[in-house]
Amino acid sequence: MTDHHPGIPSEEELQKLPANGGGYWNRLVFQQSPYLLQHAANPVDWYPWGDEAFDKAKRENKPIFISIGYATCHWCHVMARESFEDEEVAARLNRDFIAIKVDREERPDIDQLHMAACQSMTGSGGWPLNCFLTPEGHVFYATTYLSKHSRYGRPGMMELLPSVAHAWQNQHEVLLNGATQLNHQLQAMGEHAAKDKLADNIEHLAFEQLEDSFDAIHGGFGNAPKFPTPHQYLFLLRYWHRNGNKQALAMAQQSLQAMRLGGLFDQIGFGFHRYSTDSHWLLPHFEKMLYDQAMLLMAYSETYAATGDDFFKQTASEIVKFLTLRMQHPDGGFYSAEDADSEGVEGKFYVWRHEELKAILDSRELSWLSRHFNISEKGNYTDEASGQLTGANIPHLSRLPQQLADQAKVSLTSWQRQWQAIRLKLFSQREKRVHPLLDDKILTDWNGLTIAALARSSLLLDDTDYLQMAEKAFDFVRQHLSDDNDHLVKRYRNGKTGLPAHLDDYASMIWAALELYQASLKIDYLQQGLRWTEIALNKFWDSQNGGFYFTEANTELAVRAKEAYDGAIPSGNGVMARNIAHLYQLTGQSIWHTHFDSLVATFASQINRYPPGYTLFLVALDLMYGPGQRLIFAGSKVTTDAIKPLKGHYLPNTVWLKLNNHDRAVINQLANRYANWLAPFSPEFTNDNITLYPCLQFACEQPITGSNDVRDRLKKLVADTCLETLPAYHFLKGKDG
């Protein structure tokens, strides 16, 4: 089931490999990571992370040089060309150091530790991440991108390597003492302060700080570079829904519209790029990450359900089309990313020169495209360094399609028909270009986010195809990334699975299981989610101080991190808070309330300092303490038709459960609490006629029996869940507040 690592290949094994263009092969050639394989032909004598490299460093008393990146990282490619493919640099590295390459996406635990060291030493971080370590694995120097030679006041490899080697020989104790001190500092960072309480107005503080950093002209938050941060929009939608704050909704709408209209979105082939290098979403960093597609799919789907605006629904469907076209394994799982570069140039695949377009389109089409998608003969964006126009164009819109159609005095349907005819011509021509690298490893955590987004979108957009995609991907994970005991592993590629699973893998797959249960009513998804939650608690829960560690107790790393901050993707602790709140609302079991309160208290002091950095925790708080409906559907013939009146509506805190004798195995696990809920109504699970038990905060109405009456009650529930009829609430009123 997992990769077999028999140890470092012998020199004889390496010599048996066919020669590459440079005549070099190193140990990375036996790895599965596309990133490590990119460096397998370097003259650098790379080792993968493992005991062999550290043992050799100890035997030879050499410092370790560790370089961390990922397959679609532009500056990783630049450094590889400038330094790791260079024989002079390689000779220095091979003589004085033990060199280790790490794929941060496969080993986020290693990356987290060394990124924390870099940020502690320099105040910043990024990739490629380059650190010098003692043979015991303690960092004594850290930095990011390094050119071959020093420039602009930054050291280069040819100057830094001999300097570090000299210090290792002549200032050995100073380096060791500094490394030990930094290691103690990192360990202290992993130990959280005493449990605290959240600020009484934490949700309002989060909104006010987001509002303060909101770009009212271009949407999004802060200045360039600008990231999508979809989890912040999930919070803003809930804040609007509960508090009636129209500005919160407007901030989400404006930002999501601007991102879709700009160059951040691939107008020709769909899918979102990583981030915008400018403040107005025009010039992106061109890589496409699976996790961005997943979280943005959820944000656009929820915004459609909240507003009814088809613009958001169309964007969601385009994200799914991109996933289907470029990111999906034939058996259902999803690949990790597409590179920003092709033929060694960032963005080359995506941009267009005017003469190219002139050769593809007729004059009317080119005129239409230029007018609506801002195409210019001189190009429509400038070089970051020189400030001069590049001569290339990134197709993008300055106004919504409906506004452009109105301006042209045509219907939106006519406008879209014209655009699709042109888009397909450009897409066909672009397919002939050299494609960016597809990082085809399949990661458990990112697949979990994608499955959760597809399952939720299948309800919000009422599309069964999305549900089928989610179920197929979920089956892929269970078949290829889970063992017979339901323990997850991290990565699948070329038929091989391996690497330790972390908290994020379990958290994301639990979220996926719960969303699939809501969308399908299939009890095995709920059962699987409960099983993975049990495993996650056993592997990662801190029984003394609360919260989840990122790694298991037997980690090889010096520091066991416990992360709650939402970065490019939500933190594992934030996702677990959401999962536990969902399980409590679904089951009513007090153990989930206990875990939730402990989890929140563990990170309360962090959240209080900067609430916008923990928006998935705030989403979880909303689900745990905000008013919401709990619906129990009982009867032997309950199907997904029962929940059809709920589809397409924004009901962020409505959860439901199907009860019948067929599902008894799982129901028995929950029976005690359900007995308390439902005893007055004595549900007949075997009854052919559907019975609905509508409950609000664990107080249930009289049961409603019969398909027509149940449908009518659900329609009323949807109507009653509009803003004006929801009670005012406070996050911390308590479970019955």
Side-chain angles (χ1 to χ4, degrees):
M1 191 69 188
T2 58
D3 287 342
H4 176 58
H5 296 293
I8 292 179
S10 66
E11 293 300 323
E12 290 77 13
E13 287 179 294
L14 289 172
Q15 289 171 6
K16 289 178 183 177
L17 291 169
N20 62 53
Y24 304 106
W25 287 110
N26 58 55
R27 293 157 182 83
L28 301 185
V29 75
F30 296 100
Q31 297 298 301
Q32 283 297 317
S33 160
Y35 177 62
L36 299 188
L37 291 171
Q38 287 174 353
H39 293 269
N42 292 166
V44 176
D45 187 19
W46 291 115
Y47 284 77
W49 178 278
D51 291 340
E52 294 86 356
F54 285 92
D55 289 345
K56 184 174 183 181
K58 291 171 185 174
R59 285 195 311 271
E60 300 182 6
N61 190 29
K62 286 184 177 179
I64 292 168
F65 174 78
I66 179 172
S67 182
I68 304 173
Y70 55 104
T72 58
C73 165
H74 171 70
W75 286 103
C76 299
H77 302 332
V78 174
M79 186 170 177
R81 290 193 295 269
E82 291 182 346
S83 295
F84 300 142
E85 295 173 9
D86 184 88
E87 293 187 2
E88 283 188 290
V89 174
R92 291 275 190 179
L93 269 174
N94 296 341
R95 186 187 70 188
D96 297 328
F97 301 89
I98 304 301
I100 296 176
K101 257 292 171 193
V102 173
D103 183 340
R104 79 172 187 93
E105 295 170 353
E106 288 194 338
R107 293 302 304 266
D109 52 339
I110 299 171
D111 177 60
Q112 278 188 359
L113 173 61
H114 293 87
M115 184 60 72
C118 184
Q119 291 172 334
S120 178
M121 296 181 77
T122 69
S124 62
W127 298 277
L129 174 62
N130 299 291
C131 300
F132 292 89
L133 284 61
T134 68
E136 291 71 35
H138 300 159
V139 179
F140 62 84
Y141 185 89
T143 186
T144 54
Y145 162 77
L146 293 165
S147 57
K148 180 179 178 180
H149 292 289
S150 300
R151 62 171 75 140
Y152 308 120
R154 291 179 58 87
M157 290 287 282
M158 291 302 292
E159 292 76 29
L160 184 60
L161 292 177
S163 176
V164 173
H166 181 268
W168 183 257
Q169 293 298 323
N170 298 283
Q171 298 174 284
H172 193 72
E173 291 302 317
V174 174
L175 294 183
L176 290 182
N177 290 337
T180 300
Q181 184 177 356
L182 178 59
N183 190 59
H184 290 160
Q185 181 181 338
L186 295 175
Q187 288 177 327
M189 289 169 58
E191 297 172 2
H192 291 277
K195 290 181 180 292
D196 201 352
K197 292 183 179 180
L198 286 175
D200 286 345
N201 59 342
I202 191 68
E203 73 279 16
H204 302 310
L205 289 173
F207 169 73
E208 289 168 2
Q209 291 181 32
L210 286 171
E211 187 177 30
D212 286 344
S213 65
F214 180 66
D215 183 342
I217 298 175
H218 302 115
F221 302 103
N223 300 313
K226 234 180 220 180
F227 290 81
T229 60
H231 32 288
Q232 293 183 329
Y233 301 119
L234 300 183
F235 163 73
L236 286 174
L237 290 172
R238 283 156 180 77
Y239 188 82
W240 157 75
H241 190 250
R242 292 308 183 196
N243 296 282
N245 189 306
K246 294 181 180 179
Q247 173 65 2
L249 178 62
M251 287 161 60
Q253 285 180 288
Q254 181 182 347
S255 300
L256 292 170
Q257 285 174 349
M259 286 190 284
R260 168 59 183 82
L261 297 179
L264 186 76
F265 187 77
D266 178 2
Q267 307 289 338
I268 306 301
F270 304 148
F272 281 91
H273 299 296
R274 181 66 199 93
Y275 62 84
S276 178
T277 63
D278 52 48
S279 63
H280 49 287
W281 307 108
L282 170 59
L283 179 59
H285 180 42
F286 284 93
E287 64 185 324
K288 294 180 181 178
M289 311 302 295
L290 178 63
Y291 56 75
D292 283 325
Q293 315 310 318
M295 295 305 299
L296 285 164
L297 172 59
M298 195 172 291
Y300 279 94
S301 297
E302 287 202 357
T303 307
Y304 164 71
T307 65
D309 187 340
D310 283 337
F311 176 84
F312 301 107
K313 181 177 184 179
Q314 179 181 332
T315 305
S317 70
E318 289 167 344
I319 294 172
V320 176
K321 287 177 183 175
F322 168 69
L323 291 174
T324 305
L325 180 68
R326 290 291 297 159
M327 302 296 283
Q328 193 168 26
H329 185 282
D331 294 336
F334 293 96
Y335 304 127
S336 295
E338 276 194 319
D339 205 338
D341 296 13
S342 57
E343 301 182 85
V345 179
E346 180 175 8
K348 183 175 182 179
F349 181 77
Y350 297 102
V351 302
W352 301 85
R353 295 192 172 273
H354 192 267
E355 54 267 27
E356 293 179 278
L357 295 171
K358 192 173 181 180
I360 301 166
L361 305 174
D362 64 37
S363 58
R364 290 184 59 188
E365 290 171 328
L366 180 56
S367 175
W368 190 96
L369 180 70
S370 300
R371 188 166 62 254
H372 293 281
F373 282 83
N374 299 288
I375 304 300
S376 168
E377 291 188 31
K378 296 181 179 180
N380 63 10
Y381 67 96
T382 58
D383 178 75
E384 289 183 84
S386 68
Q388 300 297 311
L389 286 170
T390 63
N393 290 276
I394 300 170
H396 66 283
L397 295 163
S398 300
R399 305 177 69 185
L400 291 167
Q402 182 64 67
Q403 295 171 327
L404 292 171
D406 291 343
Q407 187 178 34
K409 297 181 180 180
V410 298
S411 68
L412 178 60
T413 301
S414 176
W415 188 94
Q416 290 175 330
R417 187 182 301 116
Q418 176 71 59
W419 164 231
Q420 287 307 313
I422 294 173
R423 187 189 73 82
L424 289 174
K425 279 189 176 183
L426 298 180
F427 179 82
S428 297
Q429 187 66 30
R430 198 177 77 173
E431 283 295 285
K432 300 175 184 177
R433 297 178 178 177
V434 175
H435 276 259
L437 168 79
L438 174 68
D439 185 340
D440 61 352
K441 67 179 181 291
I442 294 173
L443 299 174
T444 302
D445 51 349
W446 298 2
N447 270 257
L449 294 177
T450 308
I451 295 164
L454 285 166
R456 182 152 179 76
S457 296
S458 74
L459 286 171
L460 295 171
L461 307 181
D462 193 10
D463 194 311
T464 57
D465 289 343
Y466 297 177
L467 177 57
Q468 290 173 6
M469 285 180 68
E471 290 186 308
K472 188 175 181 181
F474 193 85
D475 289 343
F476 183 98
V477 172
R478 285 202 286 198
Q479 179 180 350
H480 296 293
L481 290 159
S482 177
D483 65 19
D484 293 338
N485 295 316
D486 288 327
H487 290 240
L488 295 168
V489 290
K490 183 73 178 179
R491 181 263 296 140
Y492 172 94
R493 185 172 183 269
N494 288 339
K496 296 182 179 180
T497 56
L499 304 174
H502 304 110
L503 171 64
D504 289 14
D505 298 294
Y506 282 90
S508 297
M509 286 307 301
I510 294 164
W511 192 0
L514 294 176
E515 293 291 357
L516 276 171
Y517 177 70
Q518 295 297 101
S520 70
L521 298 180
K522 294 178 182 177
I523 200 70
D524 64 318
Y525 291 129
L526 178 56
Q527 192 168 23
Q528 183 69 78
L530 287 165
R531 172 63 177 147
W532 278 331
T533 305
E534 175 188 349
I535 294 172
L537 287 165
N538 289 334
K539 285 179 176 286
F540 307 110
W541 182 254
D542 182 349
S543 57
Q544 285 190 315
N545 301 307
F548 291 92
Y549 288 109
F550 187 73
T551 57
E552 295 186 55
N554 62 351
T555 177
E556 72 220 84
L557 300 176
V559 177
R560 199 177 178 203
K562 196 188 287 181
E563 182 60 68
Y565 183 84
D566 295 331
I569 57 177
S571 71
N573 274 287
V575 176
M576 284 305 298
R578 187 231 158 268
N579 293 338
I580 289 171
H582 191 142
L583 286 171
Y584 179 65
Q585 300 298 358
L586 204 61
T587 70
Q589 290 179 307
S590 60
I591 186 174
W592 302 124
H593 203 291
T594 301
H595 280 310
F596 186 86
D597 287 346
S598 176
L599 185 56
V600 171
T602 299
F603 298 106
S605 60
Q606 292 183 43
I607 299 171
N608 288 339
R609 285 196 295 270
Y610 183 60
Y614 303 85
T615 45
L616 209 72
F617 259 101
L618 303 185
V619 167
L621 284 163
D622 188 42
L623 178 58
M624 190 70 177
Y625 293 121
Q629 296 78 22
R630 286 82 193 167
L631 308 175
I632 296 94
F633 296 92
S636 62
K637 296 184 178 180
V638 175
T639 68
T640 53
D641 285 343
I643 60 174
K644 192 165 183 60
L646 304 173
K647 294 181 178 181
H649 298 285
Y650 186 63
L651 306 167
N653 290 355
T654 299
V655 299
W656 47 81
L657 188 81
K658 180 186 72 168
L659 298 180
N660 60 33
N661 275 342
H662 177 264
D663 300 339
R664 178 67 68 181
V666 176
I667 293 168
N668 284 342
Q669 299 177 35
L670 318 174
N672 290 338
R673 185 55 177 164
Y674 280 132
N676 294 337
W677 276 15
L678 305 175
F681 308 124
S682 302
E684 293 292 338
F685 299 151
T686 59
N687 194 326
D688 284 350
N689 219 344
I690 183 173
T691 300
L692 171 67
Y693 298 87
C695 304
L696 177 66
Q697 297 301 124
F698 303 110
C700 296
E701 302 174 8
Q702 288 293 330
I704 299 162
T705 300
S707 299
N708 292 335
D709 289 342
V710 167
R711 183 175 61 251
D712 291 343
R713 179 64 186 90
L714 293 177
K715 288 181 178 179
K716 184 177 185 302
L717 180 152
V718 169
D720 289 347
T721 312
C722 65
L723 199 59
E724 289 76 10
T725 61
L726 283 170
Y729 86 106
H730 193 281
F731 269 138
L732 303 180
K733 279 184 177 177
K735 68 178 182 179
D736 296 318

